[in-house]
Amino acid sequence: MNDVLYIGWTPPTPLGIIWVAANETGLVAVSLGDELEIFNAELAAQRPRAQITPDEGRTYLFTSQIAAYLTGERTEFDLPIDWSMMTPFQQKALQATLEIPRGETRTYGEIATLAGSPGAARAVGRAEATNPIPLVIPCHRVLNADGKLHGYSGRGGLETKAWLLKLEQAEI
């Protein structure tokens, strides 16, 4: 499929500049503080036939909500998401993750059960690690079975995950 991906960026946030990619369906990707070249290369690898076009107007809805969220001016997102590049299991796991309320956490096992695959905690961990839309799909709210932080693929790793949970006042 030959689609157009519109690229946009936030003003500097507590996590740095956040890059977004969207198409006519919705949000496709979010990158926490990577360089534009890295973000573009990741998008080109995922969607090799897509035309990547900077367009602040078409991405403003996404960048403005993310920036407001990271400064505490907004507590939730109201954004369309394009799920089409995710596997069916990843869609189920990340849709269950999307349902975790702000200020709360779940374990990988709990997400596996909610996604209809009890016992698939490791597969949920992989789905969370490859979440193309961090922040908006709040993979930072997913913890190890012991309730501790475990992995975060966004820039800053566990420090960023802990910061986001503190922003949302989740108990960890």
Side-chain angles (χ1 to χ4, degrees):
M1 178 159 86
N2 192 8
D3 60 338
V4 177
L5 294 179
Y6 303 103
I7 305 298
W9 53 93
T10 66
T13 74
L15 297 180
I17 292 173
I18 309 297
W19 299 95
V20 303
N23 61 18
E24 296 299 331
T25 302
L27 190 59
V28 171
V30 171
S31 179
L32 307 182
D34 285 327
E35 298 298 323
L36 176 58
E37 294 78 23
I38 295 170
F39 185 51
N40 280 339
E42 290 172 355
L43 291 172
Q46 294 169 1
R47 296 186 183 217
R49 294 162 41 136
Q51 176 186 338
I52 300 172
T53 305
D55 191 324
E56 290 183 80
R58 290 184 186 261
T59 58
Y60 180 77
L61 173 68
F62 307 103
T63 58
S64 63
Q65 284 195 25
I66 289 170
Y69 190 84
L70 291 174
T71 59
E73 296 171 41
R74 184 176 193 87
T75 59
E76 58 186 51
F77 296 103
D78 180 23
L79 298 170
I81 294 173
D82 179 354
W83 299 92
S84 68
M85 292 300 290
M86 299 178 210
T87 68
F89 180 80
Q90 188 180 29
Q91 288 179 32
K92 287 181 185 177
L94 294 181
Q95 286 168 351
T97 301
L98 191 59
E99 298 301 317
I100 303 170
R102 178 186 173 95
E104 294 184 23
T105 59
R106 300 288 184 274
T107 66
Y108 294 101
E110 289 171 323
I111 295 297
T113 298
L114 292 170
S117 298
R122 285 181 187 233
V124 166
R126 182 70 186 140
E128 302 291 348
T130 57
N131 174 8
I133 309 174
L135 294 178
V136 176
I137 299 175
C139 53
H140 59 276
R141 296 179 189 159
V142 184
L143 306 177
N144 228 10
D146 61 6
K148 293 184 179 176
L149 300 181
H150 182 271
Y152 189 69
S153 60
R155 179 176 232 163
L158 292 180
E159 186 176 308
T160 298
K161 187 171 187 168
W163 185 87
L164 288 166
L165 291 171
K166 185 176 179 184
L167 173 71
E168 298 175 351
Q169 301 178 350
E171 289 189 33
I172 51 171

